[in-house]
Amino acid sequence: MSYTLNHLRTLESESIFIMREVAAQFQHPAILFSGGKDSILVTYLAKKAFYPAAIPFPLVHVDTGHNFKETIDFRDRLVKKLNAKLIIGSVQESIDTGRVAEEKGINASRIRLQTTTLLDTIEKNKFDACIGGARRDEEKARAKERFFSHRDEFGQWDPKNQRPEIWNLFNGRMHMGENFRIFPISNWTELDVWQYLAMEKIELPSLYFSHKRRVFNRDGVWLAESPFIPMKPSEEVKEEIVRFRTIGDITSTGATFSTASTLDDIIQEVATTRTTERGGRADDKRSETSMEDRKKVGYF
């Protein structure tokens, strides 16, 4: 237990140091907030980093319009509790103004449309650094990230042109129009996150805990029944006990069969599973390089 505690406090210290570096080096940073456990952790660490002052960064949520209701309800409660500033980038608004075209068909999703909305939100608010909750253990494209991840004037990420980070020295210098994505929990694992959330008794959306939900199977992924997802005639809705290991757009976030109803249960489950947390994300299955392709054009 003491080893785990020391390990988590070391990770916490590193993340807080990076948060303070962001405040020192950038003029207009923001926290990218999805309502998932990682962005909740980042927000909590930001609160710790600057306590007793308020969090000096606004929370930015790129809203697809196809979110779980539980996610939006939790987001609004947390913003009120922290007295934080919330900025919402609306994918629906991007569609309505002709900035993007909505996908059609049975597997239509708004995931890829988020990129334009995010870049427009960054430009509109002149953010020079956006703090996110990505971790290197999540996905192979994210394993290539630095703590300070440079983006060019078009919001694009070049994995071959990232800056070295030696001896905890972070280079945030940029030209006009460029920006950085900052990933303070890069070195955390999924298990680290859950253990820390349990240790600090941090509130989470109910979606993460087992509950009854109407779901159906599509291409090996169990999706929640939703008016946003047209169903095939062959697909059958069943009521099952499930939970979600990640929280994203309802059209692509897969459920996991689980009876884990407490943080201790989840920690035990994560410690023994052989499936990654993004293994149930339908958007990652569109191609082997799906995440990297999105990141190169400006995605989180």
Side-chain angles (χ1 to χ4, degrees):
M1 179 64 184
S2 61
Y3 167 77
T4 301
L5 177 61
N6 291 338
H7 172 64
L8 294 176
R9 290 303 181 201
T10 299
L11 290 171
E12 175 193 67
S13 178
E14 178 183 64
S15 299
I16 287 175
F17 171 76
I18 293 166
M19 293 279 196
R20 291 172 177 166
E21 278 292 300
V22 172
Q25 292 197 39
F26 298 96
Q27 297 297 312
H28 302 291
I31 294 175
L32 298 178
F33 186 84
S34 68
K37 68 181 187 310
D38 297 314
S39 62
I40 293 169
L41 170 61
V42 166
T43 303
Y44 181 86
L45 290 168
K47 178 184 175 184
K48 267 200 167 188
F50 301 101
Y51 183 84
I55 298 174
F57 319 125
L59 304 186
V60 175
H61 181 209
V62 178
D63 183 358
T64 66
H66 292 173
N67 297 287
F68 289 92
K69 182 179 183 301
E70 294 94 328
T71 304
I72 301 302
D73 290 345
F74 181 89
R75 179 200 69 187
D76 294 342
R77 287 199 310 273
L78 182 64
V79 167
K80 184 176 181 180
K81 179 180 178 181
L82 296 175
N83 194 27
K85 180 180 180 181
L86 175 66
I87 295 172
I88 300 175
S90 170
V91 172
Q92 184 63 55
E93 183 177 326
S94 297
I95 295 169
D96 294 342
T97 57
R99 291 286 293 142
V100 295
E102 186 152 25
E103 291 183 5
K104 305 296 183 183
I106 200 76
N107 292 309
S109 171
R110 292 184 171 184
I111 292 296
R112 290 182 177 272
L113 309 188
Q114 287 179 293
T115 299
T116 299
T117 305
L118 173 58
L119 294 177
D120 287 349
T121 303
I122 290 173
E123 173 61 27
K124 178 180 178 180
N125 293 277
K126 305 302 179 186
F127 294 131
D128 51 4
C130 292
I131 306 167
R135 309 186 322 270
R136 293 191 180 110
D137 76 319
E138 282 183 274
E139 200 272 342
K140 56 190 177 183
R142 288 181 168 172
K144 300 177 183 179
E145 289 282 15
R146 301 288 199 268
F147 286 112
F148 278 32
S149 182
H150 176 261
R151 297 300 201 271
D152 67 17
E153 64 271 28
F154 301 106
Q156 297 174 123
W157 172 67
D158 180 0
K160 296 180 180 179
N161 189 29
Q162 295 298 310
R163 299 169 182 179
E165 294 177 339
I166 305 170
W167 303 307
N168 285 337
L169 297 175
F170 302 109
N171 181 357
R173 288 177 293 181
M174 71 184 92
H175 297 294
M176 179 69 71
E178 298 176 344
N179 65 81
F180 277 80
R181 308 294 167 82
I182 313 293
F183 301 112
I185 63 169
S186 290
N187 286 337
W188 297 56
T189 66
E190 183 187 9
L191 186 58
D192 292 331
V193 171
W194 283 115
Q195 289 176 333
Y196 186 86
L197 294 171
M199 180 177 73
E200 296 288 304
K201 297 181 172 58
I202 299 173
E203 183 184 1
L204 294 164
S206 58
L207 290 166
Y208 281 116
F209 304 96
S210 63
H211 58 285
K212 285 186 178 180
R213 185 173 290 269
R214 289 171 59 82
V215 295
F216 66 96
N217 188 285
R218 176 173 293 175
D219 300 325
V221 176
W222 287 90
L223 297 172
E225 181 185 37
S226 166
F228 304 127
I229 310 177
M231 294 186 59
K232 302 174 184 177
S234 59
E235 292 171 337
E236 178 185 359
V237 174
K238 301 178 180 180
E239 187 173 80
E240 302 284 358
I241 296 177
V242 299
R243 73 176 192 88
F244 295 87
R245 288 178 69 187
T246 65
I247 296 178
D249 187 280
I250 199 169
T251 64
S252 62
T253 303
T256 299
F257 289 97
S258 172
T259 57
S261 58
T262 68
L263 283 172
D264 287 342
D265 291 342
I266 292 174
I267 289 169
Q268 181 63 34
E269 184 178 271
V270 170
T272 57
T273 188
R274 292 295 179 268
T275 304
T276 66
E277 63 192 294
R278 293 190 69 91
R281 290 293 290 264
D283 48 313
D284 287 353
K285 298 179 183 296
R286 290 194 170 197
S287 77
E288 288 189 6
T289 60
S290 181
M291 174 65 78
E292 183 157 338
D293 292 343
R294 280 180 282 155
K295 287 172 68 64
K296 284 181 178 179
V297 296
Y299 180 69
F300 167 49

